[in-house]
Amino acid sequence: MLKTHYSKPALSFQRQIQQLKARGLVIQNPQKALHLLQSISYYRLSGYWYPLLANKEKHLFKPGAQFENCFKLYRFDRELRSTITSELEKIEIAVRAKIIYNLSEQAGPFGYLSPAIYKKPQQFHDYLHPKLNEEYARSDEEFIRAFRIKYANPLPPSWMAMKIVSFGTLSRLFSYLKPGREKRGIANHFGLSESVFENWLHCMVYLRNICAHHSRLWNRTLSIQPQLPLSPKRIFIQNKNVRSDRAYFVLVMIRYMLQTVNPKSDFVQKIKALLIKYSNVDPQAMGFPSNWEQEPFWQQ
């Protein structure tokens, strides 16, 4: 494909509204639309009116397409990401606690710094150890400042280190560990095999980044997809003919993890309430199969 230089001009907010109207979008409240364009931006909102386009090349809207419906999709997506972020926090903390405990029990307070516990010691030297040093140096946690003052160790014990490293670094650390009883024990605690748990950690890091950067999730095609567990230890979906690159399977992953992390979670009610609140949202665009609510997995 022959590339060209970008030549579209920047438009004032008023010109943006005029352009949307000219393309067929119904704007019943221009003042509200102006405010939303100013506070959210045309480009961010454009991902939510894309499904309403009849001609995507010329950006022409379907007859009757309304700006208000686009904003409802935006609000739904925002609330969906907020709900997911809240549950991912609980899951991340539980994963950190389990990894800290198992690493400390297996190899002692500083065992995580031993190349011998990793599949490829070179990966530890080239990536993990420099990353641990970097995140330790950057931390301004009070307990880290106190450790630096009192102790000569270049890095803190695992229960401190694993608390300050990013979720991405923690996920990479787990993936680097040698297969064995300790690594298997961490994964089995959450009802998963080593390989699936490793994949899910990677997916949760990716998902958290999507939510943290306020990116669209609602009908997104996920670049990093959760694997389907072949032998799940907890209740799982019966209909496995679903797309793993859509939001539905992300919700399945979170719901499954919460069976261990927070068995009394109201996550299911929140998702169902959200879909009721925004009845204009098509669950199938998110990968939801028909009759998904009838599965035992989604019964509270």
Side-chain angles (χ1 to χ4, degrees):
M1 180 179 175
L2 186 64
K3 292 185 178 181
T4 185
H5 290 284
Y6 192 90
S7 59
K8 294 179 182 179
L11 299 178
S12 68
F13 293 118
Q14 290 291 353
R15 288 284 304 279
Q16 290 172 17
I17 289 178
Q18 291 170 9
Q19 179 172 271
L20 289 171
K21 286 182 175 180
R23 291 175 173 177
L25 186 63
V26 177
I27 301 178
Q28 295 177 329
N29 189 335
Q31 283 303 114
K32 180 180 179 180
L34 177 63
H35 171 74
L36 293 173
L37 289 170
Q38 290 172 336
S39 58
I40 298 173
S41 86
Y42 183 104
Y43 197 72
R44 186 178 294 278
L45 285 170
S46 67
Y48 301 93
W49 61 60
Y50 188 79
L52 301 181
L53 295 174
N55 186 321
K56 291 178 170 53
E57 288 187 6
K58 295 182 178 180
H59 306 282
L60 299 178
F61 288 92
K62 298 173 184 176
Q66 297 190 26
F67 184 92
E68 184 60 30
N69 287 336
C70 303
F71 182 53
K72 284 180 180 177
L73 283 175
Y74 172 81
R75 285 164 51 201
F76 168 80
D77 196 43
R78 182 179 60 193
E79 291 185 37
L80 176 66
R81 293 195 312 270
S82 177
T83 300
I84 287 174
T85 299
S86 175
E87 303 308 325
L88 283 179
E89 177 185 343
K90 298 164 192 170
I91 293 169
E92 178 186 339
I93 289 172
V95 168
R96 286 182 186 273
K98 188 60 181 173
I99 290 178
I100 288 169
Y101 181 81
N102 279 44
L103 279 182
S104 303
E105 188 179 46
Q106 170 199 357
F110 297 94
Y112 74 101
L113 296 173
S114 170
I117 71 170
Y118 299 101
K119 290 180 289 189
K120 297 178 181 179
Q122 198 60 43
Q123 288 180 327
F124 171 79
H125 288 298
D126 292 346
Y127 175 82
L128 190 58
H129 195 261
K131 195 68 177 173
L132 291 168
N133 277 301
E134 175 190 327
E135 295 187 6
Y136 173 64
R138 191 170 59 232
S139 176
D140 63 351
E141 290 282 358
E142 188 174 339
F143 64 89
I144 292 295
R145 292 201 300 267
F147 182 85
R148 291 192 192 110
I149 292 170
K150 189 171 183 179
Y151 299 102
N153 305 70
L155 285 168
S158 59
W159 46 85
M160 292 186 189
M162 296 304 105
K163 190 165 185 263
I164 62 169
V165 298
S166 70
F167 197 23
T169 299
L170 189 74
S171 169
R172 189 75 69 93
L173 182 148
F174 181 84
S175 71
Y176 287 173
L177 290 175
K178 283 181 177 177
R181 182 171 58 86
E182 288 79 15
K183 187 175 183 180
R184 188 164 56 251
I186 295 170
N188 287 349
H189 174 74
F190 296 98
L192 297 166
S193 67
E194 287 179 46
S195 61
V196 173
F197 183 67
E198 184 175 317
N199 165 261
W200 280 21
L201 281 185
H202 189 36
C203 291
M204 285 188 281
V205 171
Y206 168 64
L207 180 61
R208 202 181 74 157
N209 287 339
I210 289 174
C211 295
H213 292 101
H214 321 296
S215 299
R216 177 174 48 81
L217 178 63
W218 149 65
N219 67 343
R220 189 189 193 103
T221 300
L222 301 172
S223 300
I224 301 173
Q225 303 162 26
Q227 291 178 5
L228 184 73
L230 297 179
S231 303
K233 308 293 192 301
R234 315 270 189 270
I235 298 174
F236 199 66
I237 53 172
Q238 296 170 346
N239 181 3
K240 298 180 177 65
N241 295 318
V242 294
R243 291 180 58 172
S244 60
D245 64 349
R246 290 289 179 172
Y248 174 73
F249 204 79
V250 160
L251 301 177
V252 169
M253 177 180 69
I254 293 172
R255 165 68 176 139
Y256 185 85
M257 292 289 287
L258 287 172
Q259 289 182 73
T260 301
V261 173
N262 186 11
K264 295 185 179 180
S265 168
D266 59 354
F267 178 67
V268 172
Q269 293 101 309
K270 287 179 180 177
I271 295 301
K272 290 180 178 179
L274 198 56
L275 290 171
I276 291 171
K277 179 179 179 181
Y278 294 97
S279 57
N280 62 310
V281 172
D282 178 11
Q284 290 189 351
M286 302 166 61
F288 279 72
S290 58
N291 300 320
W292 64 276
E293 290 180 274
Q294 306 307 316
E295 292 214 36
F297 180 80
W298 292 109
Q299 302 300 317
Q300 192 67 24

